[in-house]
């Protein structure tokens, strides 16, 4: 024992300092990584929502339930995992009647008949990056994510792929279609076999470019975003007309495969 | 030796202690973090908390069969009950329960199409290869007034969710 102490003390003091400093650094880096993993943006939103929930609680029971709920991961799995939407981790009030007049991110979502959230999720209509859990990433307004959140009237484009007919709640598609015909786009572009061959086929234009900003920019200055394009500029159109045209372009895509429910396997139903 | 004891000053002792404690944190911490890694935040095996329609959509005496969610919802005089529609034998989906509306659970019958296990309205096995009865799940109400079935919590078949 005394011998080891003796040896111990023969280690130069500088080495002891270096050992302590390096170990402390390693431990701090580890603790920092744990903290960075824990301290996520969504926890802040969930905390705020809990506070609002406590404020708006009608009964003592509701208040207690709100207080006792902790931070939780939540996701909507659409069509067996084709899409996974975690929007509800921050947008906590989407189905809560007490948040009818709340501001984003806690506003209640209007109920759309036949489109339950647990079946459709969010990104099928709103676009964005469903799996992301930070605001920027989730809204898809980051490089290399092709489907940014559709804001304002652009959301109407999402009705198009499934609802081919005129929709009362999505008038911009219809207006865009009309503008498409009135401005003679048909002369160069083809949609579902009808139209010219000078420009690209637009049957699935909304699948190739999903960012409304790109379309607006393209209508104003085609060569700026698509060098060498022979398309004339349509910057003379009114901004709302450009928006309608963009909505129409975005609506030109196939129905999301996430919504085509998988047929139950024979073993699950007992039928051949 | 006496010189050695002198050198083990409190400062040296403190630095060594700090060094070893930090060293252990930086070793054990990642081990624990790897254990934590075995318990993911989310899984993709389908949702375990199932949201159904509004409470009042289900009339007293009705039995609703959810083929996609693989559960059965009983609306009885005393409240709601929900059980799995998956046969505990080899996980086939059972047929909907048959019986007159409002009939006692004892005379309701559901069968598994695969090997013929028969269950009554309390989930009990009446025949066939099923090794145990159907699980019944905990029910709550969502803030917007819908039935929520939590398939993670198994309850007694007689337990009702009262409105």
């Amino acid at each position: 024992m005394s011998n080891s102490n003796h040896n111990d003390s023969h280690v130069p003091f500088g080495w002891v300092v270096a050992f302590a400093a390096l170990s402390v650094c390693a431990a701090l880096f580890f603790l920092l990584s744990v903290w960075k993993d824990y301290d996520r943006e969504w926890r802040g939103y969930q905390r705020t929502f809990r506070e609002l929930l406590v404020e708006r609680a009608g009964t003592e029971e509701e208040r207690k339930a709100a207080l006792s709920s902790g931070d939780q991961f939540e996701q909507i799995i659409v069509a067996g995992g084709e899409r996974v939407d975690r929007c509800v981790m921050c947008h906590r009030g989407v189905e809560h009647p007490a948040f009818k007049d709340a501001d984003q991110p806690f506003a209640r979502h209007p109920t759309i008949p036949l489109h339950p959230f647990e079946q459709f999720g969010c990104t099928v209509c709103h676009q964005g990056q469903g799996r992301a859990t930070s605001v920027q990433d989730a809204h898809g307004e980051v490089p290399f994510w092709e489907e940014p959140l559709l804001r304002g009237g652009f959301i109407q484009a999402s009705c198009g792929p499934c609802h081919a007919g005129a929709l009362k709640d999505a008038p911009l598609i219809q207006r865009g279609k009309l503008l498409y015909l009135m401005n003679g786009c048909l002369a160069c572009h083809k949609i579902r076999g009808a139209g010219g061959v000078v420009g690209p086929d637009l049957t699935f234009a909304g699948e190739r470019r999903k960012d409304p900003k790109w379309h607006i920019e393209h209508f104003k200055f085609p060569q700026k975003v698509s060098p060498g394009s022979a398309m004339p500029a349509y910057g003379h159109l009114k901004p709302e007309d450009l928006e309608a045209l963009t909505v129409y372009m975005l609506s030109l895509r196939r129905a999301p495969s996430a919504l085509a429910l998988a047929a139950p396997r024979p073993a699950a139903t007992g039928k051949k | 030796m006496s010189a050695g004891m002198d050198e083990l000053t409190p400062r040296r002792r403190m630095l060594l202690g700090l060094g070893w404690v930090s060293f252990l944190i930086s070793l054990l911490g990642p081990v624990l973090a790897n254990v934590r890694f075995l318990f993911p935040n989310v899984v993709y095996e389908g949702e375990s908390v199932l949201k159904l329609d509004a409470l009042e959509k289900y009339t007293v005496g009705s039995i609703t069969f959810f083929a996609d969610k693989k559960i059965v919802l009983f609306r009885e005089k005393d409240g709601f009950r929900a059980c799995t529609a998956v046969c505990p034998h080899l996980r086939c989906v059972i047929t909907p329960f048959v019986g007159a509306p409002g009939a006692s659970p004892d005379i309701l019958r559901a069968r598994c199409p695969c090997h013929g296990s028969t269950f009554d309205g309390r989930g009990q096995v009446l025949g066939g290869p099923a090794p145990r009865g159907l699980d019944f799940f905990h029910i709550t109400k969502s803030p917007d007034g819908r039935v929520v079935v939590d398939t993670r919590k198994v309850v007694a078949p007689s337990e009702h969710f009262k409105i």
Side-chain angles (χ1 to χ4, degrees), chain A residues 2 8-9 11 13 19-20 23-24 26-27 30 73 75 77 86 95-97 118 131 268, chain B residues 1 4 7 11-12 15 19 22-23 26 29-30 41-44 47 51 93 143-144 146:
Chain A
S2 65
D8 210 28
S9 53
V11 175
F13 190 66
F19 168 67
S23 296
V24 167
F30 171 70
F73 247 88
Q75 60 184 10
I77 300 171
R86 298 183 180 144
E95 287 187 284
H96 205 299
E118 61 271 16
R131 283 171 193 252
Chain B
M1 188 168 153
E7 274 183 62
R11 202 161 88 179
R12 191 182 172 103
L15 275 175
S22 307
F23 188 66
S26 62
N41 288 325
V42 282
V43 287
Y44 300 97
E47 268 143 295
K51 266 191 138 178
V93 175
D144 52 339
R146 293 165 65 189

mmCIF file of all heavy atoms in Angstrom, chain A residues 2 8-9 11 13 19-20 23-24 26-27 30 73 75 77 86 95-97 118 131 268, chain B residues 1 4 7 11-12 15 19 22-23 26 29-30 41-44 47 51 93 143-144 146:
data_model
loop_
_atom_site.group_PDB
_atom_site.id
_atom_site.type_symbol
_atom_site.label_atom_id
_atom_site.label_comp_id
_atom_site.label_asym_id
_atom_site.label_seq_id
_atom_site.Cartn_x
_atom_site.Cartn_y
_atom_site.Cartn_z
ATOM 1 N N SER A 2 1.761 1.247 0.962
ATOM 2 C CA SER A 2 2.638 2.419 1.041
ATOM 3 C C SER A 2 3.535 2.470 -0.187
ATOM 4 O O SER A 2 3.869 3.541 -0.676
ATOM 5 C CB SER A 2 3.463 2.378 2.325
ATOM 6 O OG SER A 2 4.335 1.258 2.265
ATOM 7 N N ASP A 8 2.957 6.094 -6.838
ATOM 8 C CA ASP A 8 1.984 7.078 -7.270
ATOM 9 C C ASP A 8 2.577 8.485 -7.230
ATOM 10 O O ASP A 8 2.469 9.248 -8.188
ATOM 11 C CB ASP A 8 0.777 7.000 -6.330
ATOM 12 C CG ASP A 8 -0.481 7.389 -7.048
ATOM 13 O OD1 ASP A 8 -0.514 7.186 -8.275
ATOM 14 O OD2 ASP A 8 -1.405 7.876 -6.397
ATOM 15 N N SER A 9 3.203 8.751 -6.115
ATOM 16 C CA SER A 9 3.679 10.109 -5.924
ATOM 17 C C SER A 9 4.900 10.403 -6.785
ATOM 18 O O SER A 9 5.298 11.538 -6.909
ATOM 19 C CB SER A 9 4.000 10.352 -4.455
ATOM 20 O OG SER A 9 4.878 9.347 -4.008
ATOM 21 N N VAL A 11 4.840 9.815 -9.912
ATOM 22 C CA VAL A 11 4.343 10.313 -11.201
ATOM 23 C C VAL A 11 4.450 11.827 -11.157
ATOM 24 O O VAL A 11 3.990 12.458 -10.213
ATOM 25 C CB VAL A 11 2.871 9.890 -11.404
ATOM 26 C CG1 VAL A 11 2.309 10.488 -12.669
ATOM 27 C CG2 VAL A 11 2.744 8.393 -11.402
ATOM 28 N N PHE A 13 3.856 15.696 -11.336
ATOM 29 C CA PHE A 13 2.613 16.435 -11.114
ATOM 30 C C PHE A 13 1.958 16.857 -12.432
ATOM 31 O O PHE A 13 0.744 16.848 -12.582
ATOM 32 C CB PHE A 13 2.921 17.660 -10.243
ATOM 33 C CG PHE A 13 1.684 18.342 -9.760
ATOM 34 C CD1 PHE A 13 0.828 17.699 -8.876
ATOM 35 C CD2 PHE A 13 1.368 19.618 -10.202
ATOM 36 C CE1 PHE A 13 -0.321 18.321 -8.430
ATOM 37 C CE2 PHE A 13 0.213 20.241 -9.763
ATOM 38 C CZ PHE A 13 -0.634 19.594 -8.873
ATOM 39 N N PHE A 19 -3.860 14.244 -16.879
ATOM 40 C CA PHE A 19 -4.858 13.176 -16.737
ATOM 41 C C PHE A 19 -6.207 13.761 -16.320
ATOM 42 O O PHE A 19 -7.254 13.477 -16.929
ATOM 43 C CB PHE A 19 -4.362 12.157 -15.709
ATOM 44 C CG PHE A 19 -5.413 11.184 -15.267
ATOM 45 C CD1 PHE A 19 -5.926 10.252 -16.162
ATOM 46 C CD2 PHE A 19 -5.882 11.199 -13.960
ATOM 47 C CE1 PHE A 19 -6.889 9.353 -15.748
ATOM 48 C CE2 PHE A 19 -6.850 10.297 -13.554
ATOM 49 C CZ PHE A 19 -7.349 9.376 -14.443
ATOM 50 N N ALA A 20 -6.164 14.623 -15.311
ATOM 51 C CA ALA A 20 -7.400 15.229 -14.823
ATOM 52 C C ALA A 20 -8.052 16.066 -15.919
ATOM 53 O O ALA A 20 -9.260 15.949 -16.183
ATOM 54 C CB ALA A 20 -7.117 16.076 -13.589
ATOM 55 N N SER A 23 -9.546 13.825 -18.739
ATOM 56 C CA SER A 23 -10.723 13.095 -18.280
ATOM 57 C C SER A 23 -11.922 14.024 -18.151
ATOM 58 O O SER A 23 -13.033 13.688 -18.540
ATOM 59 C CB SER A 23 -10.451 12.435 -16.935
ATOM 60 O OG SER A 23 -9.449 11.475 -17.080
ATOM 61 N N VAL A 24 -11.680 15.206 -17.587
ATOM 62 C CA VAL A 24 -12.780 16.170 -17.432
ATOM 63 C C VAL A 24 -13.318 16.558 -18.802
ATOM 64 O O VAL A 24 -14.534 16.618 -19.020
ATOM 65 C CB VAL A 24 -12.302 17.408 -16.639
ATOM 66 C CG1 VAL A 24 -13.298 18.533 -16.749
ATOM 67 C CG2 VAL A 24 -12.078 17.044 -15.169
ATOM 68 N N ALA A 26 -13.267 14.750 -21.571
ATOM 69 C CA ALA A 26 -14.013 13.620 -22.126
ATOM 70 C C ALA A 26 -15.383 13.531 -21.482
ATOM 71 O O ALA A 26 -16.405 13.354 -22.162
ATOM 72 C CB ALA A 26 -13.229 12.327 -21.900
ATOM 73 N N ALA A 27 -15.441 13.683 -20.153
ATOM 74 C CA ALA A 27 -16.720 13.596 -19.446
ATOM 75 C C ALA A 27 -17.629 14.739 -19.870
ATOM 76 O O ALA A 27 -18.833 14.545 -20.101
ATOM 77 C CB ALA A 27 -16.486 13.633 -17.939
ATOM 78 N N PHE A 30 -19.088 14.119 -23.254
ATOM 79 C CA PHE A 30 -20.159 13.120 -23.180
ATOM 80 C C PHE A 30 -21.444 13.745 -22.649
ATOM 81 O O PHE A 30 -22.516 13.577 -23.227
ATOM 82 C CB PHE A 30 -19.742 11.943 -22.305
ATOM 83 C CG PHE A 30 -20.886 11.019 -22.032
ATOM 84 C CD1 PHE A 30 -21.399 10.237 -23.051
ATOM 85 C CD2 PHE A 30 -21.487 10.981 -20.784
ATOM 86 C CE1 PHE A 30 -22.491 9.411 -22.821
ATOM 87 C CE2 PHE A 30 -22.575 10.163 -20.548
ATOM 88 C CZ PHE A 30 -23.077 9.375 -21.564
ATOM 89 N N PHE A 73 -43.020 11.449 -27.535
ATOM 90 C CA PHE A 73 -42.880 11.245 -28.966
ATOM 91 C C PHE A 73 -44.230 10.805 -29.494
ATOM 92 O O PHE A 73 -44.891 9.971 -28.890
ATOM 93 C CB PHE A 73 -41.857 10.147 -29.225
ATOM 94 C CG PHE A 73 -40.622 10.660 -29.877
ATOM 95 C CD1 PHE A 73 -39.579 11.133 -29.114
ATOM 96 C CD2 PHE A 73 -40.525 10.666 -31.252
ATOM 97 C CE1 PHE A 73 -38.433 11.614 -29.716
ATOM 98 C CE2 PHE A 73 -39.382 11.148 -31.861
ATOM 99 C CZ PHE A 73 -38.329 11.614 -31.086
ATOM 100 N N GLN A 75 -46.412 10.042 -33.339
ATOM 101 C CA GLN A 75 -46.345 10.044 -34.795
ATOM 102 C C GLN A 75 -47.598 9.400 -35.369
ATOM 103 O O GLN A 75 -48.236 8.580 -34.729
ATOM 104 C CB GLN A 75 -45.095 9.310 -35.275
ATOM 105 C CG GLN A 75 -45.044 7.863 -34.837
ATOM 106 C CD GLN A 75 -43.743 7.190 -35.242
ATOM 107 O OE1 GLN A 75 -42.812 7.835 -35.677
ATOM 108 N NE2 GLN A 75 -43.694 5.877 -35.113
ATOM 109 N N ILE A 77 -48.712 7.088 -38.354
ATOM 110 C CA ILE A 77 -48.181 6.195 -39.373
ATOM 111 C C ILE A 77 -49.245 6.032 -40.443
ATOM 112 O O ILE A 77 -50.339 5.551 -40.171
ATOM 113 C CB ILE A 77 -47.807 4.840 -38.762
ATOM 114 C CG1 ILE A 77 -46.743 5.045 -37.677
ATOM 115 C CG2 ILE A 77 -47.295 3.891 -39.834
ATOM 116 C CD1 ILE A 77 -46.445 3.820 -36.872
ATOM 117 N N ARG A 86 -44.722 13.383 -37.824
ATOM 118 C CA ARG A 86 -44.538 13.707 -36.411
ATOM 119 C C ARG A 86 -44.933 15.143 -36.118
ATOM 120 O O ARG A 86 -44.539 15.705 -35.102
ATOM 121 C CB ARG A 86 -43.077 13.472 -36.024
ATOM 122 C CG ARG A 86 -42.714 12.025 -36.200
ATOM 123 C CD ARG A 86 -41.316 11.711 -35.769
ATOM 124 N NE ARG A 86 -41.086 10.303 -35.985
ATOM 125 C CZ ARG A 86 -39.939 9.781 -36.385
ATOM 126 N NH1 ARG A 86 -38.911 10.564 -36.614
ATOM 127 N NH2 ARG A 86 -39.818 8.494 -36.559
ATOM 128 N N GLU A 95 -56.470 18.517 -32.672
ATOM 129 C CA GLU A 95 -57.781 17.904 -32.480
ATOM 130 C C GLU A 95 -58.437 18.339 -31.172
ATOM 131 O O GLU A 95 -59.384 17.727 -30.727
ATOM 132 C CB GLU A 95 -57.633 16.374 -32.490
ATOM 133 C CG GLU A 95 -57.371 15.835 -33.864
ATOM 134 C CD GLU A 95 -57.394 14.317 -33.877
ATOM 135 O OE1 GLU A 95 -56.419 13.705 -33.424
ATOM 136 O OE2 GLU A 95 -58.394 13.756 -34.326
ATOM 137 N N HIS A 96 -57.884 19.374 -30.562
ATOM 138 C CA HIS A 96 -58.380 19.774 -29.248
ATOM 139 C C HIS A 96 -59.395 20.910 -29.385
ATOM 140 O O HIS A 96 -59.036 21.991 -29.831
ATOM 141 C CB HIS A 96 -57.205 20.209 -28.365
ATOM 142 C CG HIS A 96 -57.495 20.058 -26.913
ATOM 143 N ND1 HIS A 96 -58.506 20.734 -26.298
ATOM 144 C CD2 HIS A 96 -56.929 19.281 -25.957
ATOM 145 C CE1 HIS A 96 -58.536 20.398 -25.022
ATOM 146 N NE2 HIS A 96 -57.589 19.503 -24.791
ATOM 147 N N PRO A 97 -60.636 20.673 -28.981
ATOM 148 C CA PRO A 97 -61.662 21.707 -29.186
ATOM 149 C C PRO A 97 -61.366 23.013 -28.459
ATOM 150 O O PRO A 97 -61.801 24.074 -28.909
ATOM 151 C CB PRO A 97 -62.939 21.057 -28.647
ATOM 152 C CG PRO A 97 -62.517 19.848 -27.893
ATOM 153 C CD PRO A 97 -61.184 19.437 -28.399
ATOM 154 N N GLU A 118 -55.650 10.332 -38.363
ATOM 155 C CA GLU A 118 -54.910 9.097 -38.083
ATOM 156 C C GLU A 118 -54.809 8.224 -39.323
ATOM 157 O O GLU A 118 -54.018 7.293 -39.359
ATOM 158 C CB GLU A 118 -55.547 8.341 -36.914
ATOM 159 C CG GLU A 118 -56.963 7.892 -37.120
ATOM 160 C CD GLU A 118 -57.973 8.939 -36.690
ATOM 161 O OE1 GLU A 118 -57.590 10.114 -36.519
ATOM 162 O OE2 GLU A 118 -59.151 8.597 -36.550
ATOM 163 N N ARG A 131 -41.097 13.250 -40.901
ATOM 164 C CA ARG A 131 -40.328 12.586 -39.855
ATOM 165 C C ARG A 131 -39.491 13.553 -39.033
ATOM 166 O O ARG A 131 -38.987 13.190 -37.978
ATOM 167 C CB ARG A 131 -39.382 11.553 -40.480
ATOM 168 C CG ARG A 131 -40.091 10.304 -40.889
ATOM 169 C CD ARG A 131 -39.163 9.415 -41.691
ATOM 170 N NE ARG A 131 -39.919 8.360 -42.332
ATOM 171 C CZ ARG A 131 -39.879 7.090 -41.946
ATOM 172 N NH1 ARG A 131 -39.121 6.727 -40.969
ATOM 173 N NH2 ARG A 131 -40.612 6.192 -42.564
ATOM 174 N N ALA A 268 -54.845 -12.659 -43.153
ATOM 175 C CA ALA A 268 -55.448 -11.814 -42.143
ATOM 176 C C ALA A 268 -56.965 -11.874 -42.179
ATOM 177 O O ALA A 268 -57.635 -11.608 -41.192
ATOM 178 C CB ALA A 268 -54.969 -10.374 -42.315
ATOM 179 N N MET B 1 10.537 7.722 1.408
ATOM 180 C CA MET B 1 9.110 7.438 1.589
ATOM 181 C C MET B 1 8.401 8.627 2.230
ATOM 182 O O MET B 1 7.314 9.037 1.822
ATOM 183 C CB MET B 1 8.935 6.221 2.486
ATOM 184 C CG MET B 1 7.495 5.807 2.525
ATOM 185 S SD MET B 1 7.301 4.205 3.284
ATOM 186 C CE MET B 1 5.659 4.352 3.900
ATOM 187 N N GLY B 4 7.705 10.961 -0.342
ATOM 188 C CA GLY B 4 6.545 10.568 -1.159
ATOM 189 C C GLY B 4 5.258 10.991 -0.494
ATOM 190 O O GLY B 4 4.365 11.531 -1.147
ATOM 191 N N GLU B 7 4.504 14.494 -0.984
ATOM 192 C CA GLU B 7 4.096 14.917 -2.331
ATOM 193 C C GLU B 7 2.613 14.708 -2.591
ATOM 194 O O GLU B 7 2.044 15.288 -3.501
ATOM 195 C CB GLU B 7 4.914 14.171 -3.389
ATOM 196 C CG GLU B 7 6.233 14.867 -3.697
ATOM 197 C CD GLU B 7 6.976 14.161 -4.783
ATOM 198 O OE1 GLU B 7 6.413 14.105 -5.895
ATOM 199 O OE2 GLU B 7 8.072 13.647 -4.531
ATOM 200 N N ARG B 11 -3.949 18.995 -3.066
ATOM 201 C CA ARG B 11 -4.208 19.427 -4.440
ATOM 202 C C ARG B 11 -4.066 18.248 -5.408
ATOM 203 O O ARG B 11 -4.903 18.021 -6.279
ATOM 204 C CB ARG B 11 -3.216 20.523 -4.822
ATOM 205 C CG ARG B 11 -3.755 21.361 -5.985
ATOM 206 C CD ARG B 11 -3.074 22.659 -6.076
ATOM 207 N NE ARG B 11 -1.890 22.517 -6.896
ATOM 208 C CZ ARG B 11 -1.081 23.515 -7.177
ATOM 209 N NH1 ARG B 11 -1.313 24.698 -6.677
ATOM 210 N NH2 ARG B 11 -0.045 23.325 -7.942
ATOM 211 N N ARG B 12 -2.995 17.481 -5.189
ATOM 212 C CA ARG B 12 -2.736 16.322 -6.029
ATOM 213 C C ARG B 12 -3.858 15.296 -5.860
ATOM 214 O O ARG B 12 -4.360 14.715 -6.832
ATOM 215 C CB ARG B 12 -1.402 15.711 -5.597
ATOM 216 C CG ARG B 12 -0.876 14.680 -6.536
ATOM 217 C CD ARG B 12 0.422 14.131 -5.970
ATOM 218 N NE ARG B 12 0.851 12.999 -6.753
ATOM 219 C CZ ARG B 12 1.830 13.058 -7.655
ATOM 220 N NH1 ARG B 12 2.455 14.172 -7.872
ATOM 221 N NH2 ARG B 12 2.152 11.990 -8.337
ATOM 222 N N LEU B 15 -7.013 16.510 -7.669
ATOM 223 C CA LEU B 15 -6.895 16.372 -9.122
ATOM 224 C C LEU B 15 -7.041 14.914 -9.546
ATOM 225 O O LEU B 15 -7.733 14.610 -10.534
ATOM 226 C CB LEU B 15 -5.537 16.908 -9.590
ATOM 227 C CG LEU B 15 -5.488 18.414 -9.832
ATOM 228 C CD1 LEU B 15 -4.072 18.843 -10.161
ATOM 229 C CD2 LEU B 15 -6.424 18.798 -10.966
ATOM 230 N N GLY B 19 -9.980 13.477 -11.812
ATOM 231 C CA GLY B 19 -9.597 12.756 -13.030
ATOM 232 C C GLY B 19 -10.258 11.401 -13.108
ATOM 233 O O GLY B 19 -10.858 11.060 -14.135
ATOM 234 N N SER B 22 -14.149 11.678 -13.611
ATOM 235 C CA SER B 22 -14.463 12.052 -14.997
ATOM 236 C C SER B 22 -14.187 10.907 -15.944
ATOM 237 O O SER B 22 -14.947 10.633 -16.878
ATOM 238 C CB SER B 22 -13.636 13.264 -15.425
ATOM 239 O OG SER B 22 -13.792 14.289 -14.495
ATOM 240 N N PHE B 23 -13.088 10.212 -15.665
ATOM 241 C CA PHE B 23 -12.716 9.084 -16.518
ATOM 242 C C PHE B 23 -13.813 8.018 -16.492
ATOM 243 O O PHE B 23 -14.218 7.493 -17.531
ATOM 244 C CB PHE B 23 -11.388 8.507 -16.007
ATOM 245 C CG PHE B 23 -10.795 7.469 -16.898
ATOM 246 C CD1 PHE B 23 -10.347 7.805 -18.167
ATOM 247 C CD2 PHE B 23 -10.687 6.158 -16.478
ATOM 248 C CE1 PHE B 23 -9.788 6.853 -18.996
ATOM 249 C CE2 PHE B 23 -10.136 5.193 -17.307
ATOM 250 C CZ PHE B 23 -9.694 5.537 -18.566
ATOM 251 N N SER B 26 -16.850 9.172 -18.452
ATOM 252 C CA SER B 26 -16.675 9.089 -19.906
ATOM 253 C C SER B 26 -16.610 7.646 -20.381
ATOM 254 O O SER B 26 -16.786 7.368 -21.548
ATOM 255 C CB SER B 26 -15.426 9.860 -20.336
ATOM 256 O OG SER B 26 -14.287 9.288 -19.741
ATOM 257 N N GLY B 29 -20.680 6.269 -19.116
ATOM 258 C CA GLY B 29 -21.735 7.025 -19.797
ATOM 259 C C GLY B 29 -22.070 6.443 -21.162
ATOM 260 O O GLY B 29 -23.214 6.073 -21.417
ATOM 261 N N PRO B 30 -21.091 6.297 -22.052
ATOM 262 C CA PRO B 30 -21.381 5.727 -23.366
ATOM 263 C C PRO B 30 -21.948 4.315 -23.287
ATOM 264 O O PRO B 30 -22.771 3.930 -24.111
ATOM 265 C CB PRO B 30 -20.025 5.750 -24.069
ATOM 266 C CG PRO B 30 -19.304 6.876 -23.433
ATOM 267 C CD PRO B 30 -19.734 6.853 -21.999
ATOM 268 N N ASN B 41 -37.294 5.542 -29.255
ATOM 269 C CA ASN B 41 -38.369 6.479 -28.933
ATOM 270 C C ASN B 41 -39.664 6.104 -29.630
ATOM 271 O O ASN B 41 -40.744 6.283 -29.093
ATOM 272 C CB ASN B 41 -37.981 7.894 -29.377
ATOM 273 C CG ASN B 41 -36.905 8.484 -28.500
ATOM 274 O OD1 ASN B 41 -36.876 8.226 -27.311
ATOM 275 N ND2 ASN B 41 -36.025 9.258 -29.091
ATOM 276 N N VAL B 42 -39.548 5.621 -30.855
ATOM 277 C CA VAL B 42 -40.735 5.270 -31.626
ATOM 278 C C VAL B 42 -40.492 3.954 -32.351
ATOM 279 O O VAL B 42 -39.364 3.607 -32.652
ATOM 280 C CB VAL B 42 -41.078 6.345 -32.692
ATOM 281 C CG1 VAL B 42 -41.744 7.530 -32.070
ATOM 282 C CG2 VAL B 42 -39.855 6.749 -33.464
ATOM 283 N N VAL B 43 -41.560 3.252 -32.608
ATOM 284 C CA VAL B 43 -41.471 2.049 -33.435
ATOM 285 C C VAL B 43 -42.465 2.201 -34.586
ATOM 286 O O VAL B 43 -43.370 3.033 -34.532
ATOM 287 C CB VAL B 43 -41.779 0.770 -32.635
ATOM 288 C CG1 VAL B 43 -40.642 0.435 -31.695
ATOM 289 C CG2 VAL B 43 -43.078 0.891 -31.884
ATOM 290 N N TYR B 44 -42.283 1.402 -35.595
ATOM 291 C CA TYR B 44 -43.137 1.554 -36.784
ATOM 292 C C TYR B 44 -44.096 0.374 -36.931
ATOM 293 O O TYR B 44 -44.482 0.018 -38.024
ATOM 294 C CB TYR B 44 -42.266 1.698 -38.029
ATOM 295 C CG TYR B 44 -41.370 2.915 -37.931
ATOM 296 C CD1 TYR B 44 -40.066 2.800 -37.513
ATOM 297 C CD2 TYR B 44 -41.873 4.173 -38.212
ATOM 298 C CE1 TYR B 44 -39.259 3.911 -37.385
ATOM 299 C CE2 TYR B 44 -41.082 5.291 -38.085
ATOM 300 C CZ TYR B 44 -39.774 5.154 -37.681
ATOM 301 O OH TYR B 44 -38.997 6.264 -37.550
ATOM 302 N N GLU B 47 -49.869 1.865 -34.831
ATOM 303 C CA GLU B 47 -50.134 2.604 -33.617
ATOM 304 C C GLU B 47 -50.727 1.728 -32.528
ATOM 305 O O GLU B 47 -51.491 0.811 -32.789
ATOM 306 C CB GLU B 47 -51.065 3.769 -33.921
ATOM 307 C CG GLU B 47 -50.264 5.007 -34.230
ATOM 308 C CD GLU B 47 -50.865 5.848 -35.304
ATOM 309 O OE1 GLU B 47 -50.931 5.382 -36.457
ATOM 310 O OE2 GLU B 47 -51.276 6.961 -34.978
ATOM 311 N N LYS B 51 -57.595 5.690 -32.255
ATOM 312 C CA LYS B 51 -58.685 6.654 -32.115
ATOM 313 C C LYS B 51 -59.869 6.204 -32.954
ATOM 314 O O LYS B 51 -59.719 5.981 -34.157
ATOM 315 C CB LYS B 51 -58.218 8.028 -32.581
ATOM 316 C CG LYS B 51 -57.696 8.873 -31.456
ATOM 317 C CD LYS B 51 -57.495 10.281 -31.918
ATOM 318 C CE LYS B 51 -57.977 11.253 -30.857
ATOM 319 N NZ LYS B 51 -57.758 12.642 -31.236
ATOM 320 N N VAL B 93 -57.369 -12.868 -37.899
ATOM 321 C CA VAL B 93 -58.406 -11.943 -37.451
ATOM 322 C C VAL B 93 -59.718 -12.705 -37.346
ATOM 323 O O VAL B 93 -60.125 -13.388 -38.292
ATOM 324 C CB VAL B 93 -58.533 -10.750 -38.412
ATOM 325 C CG1 VAL B 93 -59.693 -9.859 -38.018
ATOM 326 C CG2 VAL B 93 -57.242 -9.953 -38.417
ATOM 327 N N PRO B 143 -59.972 14.612 -26.012
ATOM 328 C CA PRO B 143 -60.554 15.935 -25.741
ATOM 329 C C PRO B 143 -61.679 16.293 -26.716
ATOM 330 O O PRO B 143 -62.609 17.008 -26.350
ATOM 331 C CB PRO B 143 -59.379 16.888 -25.914
ATOM 332 C CG PRO B 143 -58.171 16.063 -25.735
ATOM 333 C CD PRO B 143 -58.522 14.679 -26.175
ATOM 334 N N ASP B 144 -61.615 15.779 -27.942
ATOM 335 C CA ASP B 144 -62.671 16.092 -28.903
ATOM 336 C C ASP B 144 -63.788 15.044 -28.887
ATOM 337 O O ASP B 144 -64.557 14.940 -29.842
ATOM 338 C CB ASP B 144 -62.099 16.296 -30.315
ATOM 339 C CG ASP B 144 -61.214 15.138 -30.754
ATOM 340 O OD1 ASP B 144 -60.719 14.407 -29.873
ATOM 341 O OD2 ASP B 144 -61.033 14.949 -31.961
ATOM 342 N N ARG B 146 -63.857 11.606 -28.694
ATOM 343 C CA ARG B 146 -63.806 10.350 -29.435
ATOM 344 C C ARG B 146 -63.312 9.218 -28.536
ATOM 345 O O ARG B 146 -62.648 9.449 -27.522
ATOM 346 C CB ARG B 146 -62.888 10.504 -30.651
ATOM 347 C CG ARG B 146 -63.480 11.466 -31.679
ATOM 348 C CD ARG B 146 -62.458 11.893 -32.687
ATOM 349 N NE ARG B 146 -62.026 10.762 -33.487
ATOM 350 C CZ ARG B 146 -61.011 10.812 -34.336
ATOM 351 N NH1 ARG B 146 -60.330 11.918 -34.479
ATOM 352 N NH2 ARG B 146 -60.673 9.757 -35.029
#
